[in-house]
Amino acid sequence: MTYERIMGLNVIDDAEYQKYRAGMEPILNSMGGAFGFDFRVSKVLRSKSADPINRVFTIDFPSEEVMNQFFSHPDYLILKEQYLDHAVNSRTIISMHKKSD
């Protein structure tokens, strides 16, 4: 069993977003996490959020506890503030759930 988070973002600065991803992925991998799917979205046909979305991805963790540890990790928080907060103007959690491998 793994824990999956499905996210929708509105990326407004691709270069800064790529710096964020390059920095955070080693931290993610060191905790047993990984990206599953990653899409650039050209048109949203239906959404439960008023926020715009142009990127959708899945991120898998060994457990919900590991996911929470990752998002509160001091090195992750530095990258988030340095790159993500400037590269993305909206974030939508589409789903978080346990999944069978």
Side-chain angles (χ1 to χ4, degrees):
M1 281 278 193
T2 58
Y3 198 77
E4 181 177 65
R5 182 174 176 142
I6 304 172
M7 290 294 301
L9 304 178
N10 194 53
V11 177
I12 57 172
D13 187 329
D14 282 324
E16 290 294 294
Y17 183 69
Q18 288 310 313
K19 290 176 188 175
Y20 160 76
R21 289 286 289 260
M24 61 79 77
E25 199 157 7
I27 302 166
L28 175 67
N29 295 154
S30 76
M31 299 178 81
F35 286 99
F37 295 91
D38 193 0
F39 305 100
R40 289 179 193 236
V41 179
S42 62
K43 186 174 183 181
V44 176
L45 301 176
R46 183 175 296 191
S47 179
K48 291 182 179 181
S49 171
D51 292 329
I53 295 172
N54 63 10
R55 188 85 175 241
V56 174
F57 62 89
T58 64
I59 187 169
D60 297 324
F61 298 92
S63 67
E64 183 176 7
E65 293 77 24
V66 172
M67 178 191 73
N68 292 331
Q69 290 169 3
F70 170 76
F71 285 113
S72 63
H73 191 285
D75 293 339
Y76 171 79
L77 293 174
I78 290 168
L79 290 164
K80 178 182 174 289
E81 182 179 347
Q82 188 174 8
Y83 299 114
L84 184 66
D85 291 344
H86 307 287
V88 171
N89 70 357
S90 69
R91 298 174 207 145
T92 303
I93 297 173
I94 295 172
S95 177
M96 293 192 294
H97 56 271
K98 290 180 185 176
K99 78 173 198 175
S100 308
D101 292 330

